[in-house]
Amino acid sequence: MLFEMKKALITGITGQDGSYLADLLLAKGYEVHGIIRRASTFNTVRIDHLYQDPHVHGIHLFLHYGDLADSVQLVKLLYELRPDEIYNLAAQSHVRVSFDIPEYTADVTAVGTIRILEAIREAGVAPRFYQASSSEMYGKVQEVPQTERTPFWPRSPYGVAKVFSYWATVNYRESYRLHASNGILFNHESPRRGETFVTRKISRSVARIKQGSDELLYLGNLEAKRDWGYAPEYVEGMWRILQQDEPDDYVLATNETHTVREFVQLAFAHVDLDWKEFVRYDKRYERPAEVDLLIGNPNKAKKQLGWEPKVRFEELVGIMVDADLETNRLQLYGTKPRA
């Protein structure tokens, strides 16, 4: 019997989650297609390793130029590819930046989801669809911890856009019987996290300060509380969501909360430094409206998906700091260890 390889399409494949998801799906034997935006510089650094050994992965990875603002190209791609699964991970995903470019954030993060859902209908395909929803939708939280039934109260243009996408996914599921699901993911980090996000900004600065490249780290609100997990585990949760017979919505979280201050303390302690000597406050990094507390209850995902996080907060901080120490060492000294 001829084995037919499953085909997946990932928007946002060059981001943290997209790259880990590509790793996972290729390891599971999928043919993986990713949408990337045309740029004047290469922006595929997170997935370049997949091409280094074509016998393992690269032969089944294909990239296509496209944009969530271009509905015509989305329809053409779906006609051509006819994927079994679609993971919509693309977005303008920086919460603080969404206050500066709210219209663009809404167009890509919110309306972009509608464009994909409409492209599915227009192309006449029937893939399983995953929408990357966010804990930022809870914003001014209405209960602790947050579950799939907690009301949303977003506190940023990004959060508002994600609420739009969440309900669009539910609406298309109910209106057109699409196999469309939401993963409400709480903060999840890794060495592939973008350098402007607070956790990676901290781990990268700690490495640079320890190795003499930087002197100070400037941050905004240190008291914000977040539920932080490890990104590779969360993309496995995405995959598990789409393997269910019936579409549904799931919270993926650790059910623990920690402050930014705790992240800073652990990161500096990991390299035997006192954080108070190196961290300074800068009001430019404050949000106009802050989300004070996020903590998710993943019981539904545990029961129905068999998913639960294993990497906890302190280990996560160590993973990120160690990775940035190695990256910075290589930048400073090449392949030779420091004398």
Side-chain angles (χ1 to χ4, degrees):
M1 183 176 179
L2 184 64
F3 172 75
E4 187 171 340
M5 184 179 292
K6 268 190 174 183
K7 190 182 296 183
L9 175 64
I10 304 173
T11 73
I13 193 171
T14 59
Q16 170 188 255
D17 290 4
S19 66
Y20 281 123
L21 182 60
D23 288 341
L24 177 75
L25 295 180
L26 289 166
K28 290 182 178 294
Y30 279 66
E31 177 179 307
V32 176
H33 296 260
I35 297 177
I36 60 172
R37 288 180 296 170
R38 181 72 177 90
S40 59
T41 57
F42 293 110
N43 60 353
T44 58
V45 63
R46 292 186 181 93
I47 56 174
D48 285 347
H49 65 283
L50 295 174
Y51 291 100
Q52 292 174 3
D53 187 352
H55 299 292
V56 177
H57 288 322
I59 194 170
H60 301 307
L61 175 64
F62 306 91
L63 302 180
H64 309 266
Y65 287 121
D67 197 300
L68 292 190
D70 185 350
S71 57
V72 173
Q73 175 64 4
L74 292 173
V75 173
K76 288 169 61 178
L77 263 179
L78 294 191
Y79 266 126
E80 174 190 346
L81 299 178
R82 308 191 78 80
D84 299 292
E85 298 172 3
I86 297 176
Y87 296 85
N88 182 30
L89 311 185
Q92 190 302 100
S93 58
H94 197 288
V95 178
R96 177 63 190 84
V97 171
S98 76
F99 285 99
D100 300 324
I101 50 172
E103 183 179 345
Y104 175 78
T105 300
D107 186 46
V108 173
T109 307
V111 183
T113 304
I114 286 286
R115 293 189 183 106
I116 297 176
L117 291 167
E118 274 296 294
I120 290 171
R121 296 208 312 127
E122 178 67 25
V125 294
R128 296 187 174 193
F129 176 79
Y130 172 86
Q131 170 58 27
S133 290
S134 169
S135 60
E136 287 288 332
M137 300 188 303
Y138 295 117
K140 188 176 180 180
V141 298
Q142 301 302 291
E143 66 176 345
V144 177
Q146 293 87 59
T147 72
E148 292 82 3
R149 296 185 177 275
T150 303
F152 302 135
W153 192 320
R155 299 267 284 172
S156 66
Y158 171 77
V160 170
K162 282 295 188 180
V163 170
F164 179 99
S165 290
Y166 173 92
W167 285 117
T169 301
V170 172
N171 182 253
Y172 274 66
R173 179 170 74 212
E174 296 176 350
S175 300
Y176 305 113
R177 301 182 64 82
L178 297 184
H179 193 296
S181 300
N182 284 287
I184 307 173
L185 272 58
F186 281 65
N187 293 63
H188 47 287
E189 317 297 322
S190 76
R192 297 186 194 176
R193 181 55 117 171
E195 294 175 356
T196 60
F197 289 81
V198 66
T199 51
R200 182 71 196 290
K201 180 179 177 181
I202 293 167
S203 65
R204 184 171 179 267
S205 289
V206 166
R208 291 176 62 81
I209 289 169
K210 179 65 175 179
Q211 295 172 330
S213 303
D214 282 349
E215 295 180 355
L216 296 172
L217 167 61
Y218 294 91
L219 295 170
N221 181 15
L222 293 180
E223 305 312 319
K225 295 180 179 179
R226 294 292 184 269
D227 183 324
W228 276 302
Y230 186 42
E233 296 179 343
Y234 283 59
V235 300
E236 184 188 343
M238 298 176 189
W239 175 78
R240 291 191 181 207
I241 287 171
L242 288 200
Q243 308 318 301
Q244 304 305 299
D245 291 335
E246 296 296 326
D248 206 345
D249 310 312
Y250 299 89
V251 163
L252 300 186
T254 69
N255 202 27
E256 293 180 12
T257 190
H258 299 274
T259 63
V260 176
R261 184 186 301 273
E262 288 177 80
F263 198 107
V264 171
Q265 290 172 332
L266 276 176
F268 276 94
H270 192 72
V271 295
D272 300 316
L273 293 177
D274 181 355
W275 70 277
K276 294 179 182 178
E277 296 180 18
F278 305 100
V279 176
R280 301 291 182 269
Y281 171 76
D282 190 330
K283 66 179 181 180
R284 291 178 300 173
Y285 299 117
E286 294 275 6
R287 302 179 186 179
E290 182 58 85
V291 173
D292 296 318
L293 168 65
L294 292 174
I295 178 171
N297 182 343
N299 280 348
K300 180 179 177 181
K302 183 177 180 180
K303 290 177 182 177
Q304 296 188 21
L305 306 177
W307 180 90
E308 59 181 322
K310 296 179 177 63
V311 174
R312 294 298 180 173
F313 181 65
E314 185 170 354
E315 183 181 357
L316 171 64
V317 175
I319 288 170
M320 294 183 67
V321 172
D322 285 342
D324 275 319
L325 282 168
E326 178 63 14
T327 298
N328 195 56
R329 185 188 67 79
L330 290 174
Q331 290 172 348
L332 287 173
Y333 307 109
T335 57
K336 297 180 180 180
R338 188 173 187 176

